Amino acid sequence: MTSVTLRLDIASAEAEIFSGQAEMVFATGELGELGIAPGHAPLITSLKAGNVRAILPNQQEEVFYVSSGMLEIQPFVVTVLADTVLRAGDIDEAAAVAAKERAEKLLEDKTSEIDLAKATAELAEAVAQIRTIRRLKKHGK
């Protein structure tokens, strides 16, 4: 018996990052975590900084970091159009930790004239990258 799959396409403004079949897709939407199986109801939502995970037909898991973007779901097609997409294995953990520390310092420094929204967004992005890296390490990849 063959398993039912859906097509997953993940692209950034620069390039297509992934196109293939998946049995299940997980993404961080604006209102929380979404689990998407074949036959899912149509939906369009914005994405928050976080990871997109795909369970492939061979039961392998692909993990991607997405900074923000849009997610379109059709019953058998999932499309991720993101501002920035990285394969989890390509994220520089040291740079992400440094960015997190810089953003936290900016938020703590009440005397500097900073853009609070920008610092908060940078912190959220760095934390999401670190979570993506740690998820990958936890699953031994």
Side-chain angles (χ1 to χ4, degrees), residues 49-65:
N51 62 50
V52 172
R53 297 181 296 120
I55 307 300
L56 305 181
N58 63 5
Q59 298 307 302
Q60 294 287 355
E61 181 179 65
E62 285 277 348
V63 182
F64 305 89
Y65 164 76

Side-chain angles (χ1 to χ4, degrees), residues 37-48:
H40 195 286
L43 173 73
I44 295 178
T45 188
S46 55
L47 293 169
K48 289 182 13 178

Side-chain angles (χ1 to χ4, degrees), residues 4 12 16 41 43 47 75-76 84 105 126 138:
V4 178
S12 70
E16 180 178 78
L43 173 73
L47 293 169
F76 295 95
T84 302
K105 185 172 167 83
K138 180 179 170 185

